Amino acid sequence: MTGKTDICYECGGSIRRVRMDYHFEESGLDNVILAGIEVDLCLQCGGESPRIPRLNDVMDTIAVALIAKPFELTGREVRFLRKTLEVGIEDFARKLGVDRSHLSRLENGALTISRQTDRLARTLALLHRPELMEKLTSLDIREVV
């Protein structure tokens, strides 16, 4: 599907706007695909620039999916929640009852998350952002922390 032609911000080449599934690596997670969004594709350098409507809502939806998932969070997912909550690593580590270096190693995948820390990270997300609980409810997700 072709669309509006414009200029690439990276190389100055022509771009074509298409609707496609987009691997949302910018989220910090390697398994997030945004289905059927508009993406500007550069015909010269091959660059892709997604046009993500309601980005905050998309990020909240990802956070809700992580909170509701039935198995332990990964380090990247803990980092995603922390950053979505806009909480610094020192503050989040303190709230989890661990030191900063422990949380850093956990987020970088050097340590696996304990079940207790996993549950606490999810609970902190819901306490810090009550609207996430509302989103869980509106999506009819019943199994929560």
Side-chain angles (χ1 to χ4, degrees):
M1 170 184 271
T2 61
K4 177 183 172 191
T5 302
D6 216 337
I7 303 298
C8 175
Y9 292 113
E10 296 296 320
C11 72
S14 295
I15 63 167
R16 177 117 338 174
R17 185 164 298 153
V18 297
R19 188 166 291 278
M20 61 183 267
D21 292 350
Y22 180 76
H23 186 199
F24 189 32
E25 295 172 345
E26 296 89 343
S27 69
L29 302 170
D30 57 6
N31 59 350
V32 177
I33 306 293
L34 301 178
I37 67 166
E38 288 185 342
V39 178
D40 291 340
L41 299 175
C42 178
L43 303 175
Q44 184 171 326
C45 70
E48 296 181 352
S49 181
R51 303 177 64 83
I52 304 172
R54 299 186 320 266
L55 180 60
N56 290 339
D57 192 43
V58 170
M59 300 302 271
D60 285 353
T61 300
I62 295 169
V64 164
L66 294 177
I67 291 166
K69 77 181 233 180
F71 43 92
E72 276 77 22
L73 297 169
T74 66
R76 282 184 168 185
E77 292 168 341
V78 171
R79 180 186 302 129
F80 177 88
L81 286 176
R82 178 178 64 78
K83 288 187 173 193
T84 299
L85 300 174
E86 298 177 351
V87 177
I89 193 166
E90 294 279 347
D91 191 32
F92 202 65
R94 183 178 46 75
K95 289 176 179 177
L96 290 174
V98 299
D99 63 30
R100 182 195 186 290
S101 64
H102 182 88
L103 180 56
S104 177
R105 288 191 303 272
L106 191 148
E107 287 184 352
N108 291 320
L111 294 175
T112 57
I113 189 167
S114 70
R115 187 162 180 83
Q116 180 179 1
T117 302
D118 174 275
R119 302 296 267 180
L120 187 53
R122 295 174 199 232
T123 302
L124 287 171
L126 292 172
L127 290 172
H128 190 75
R129 298 271 310 281
E131 63 271 20
L132 295 178
M133 180 60 90
E134 294 170 19
K135 193 169 195 70
L136 276 167
T137 303
S138 73
L139 294 172
D140 200 29
I141 299 173
R142 292 187 165 94
E143 183 62 34
V144 294
V145 177

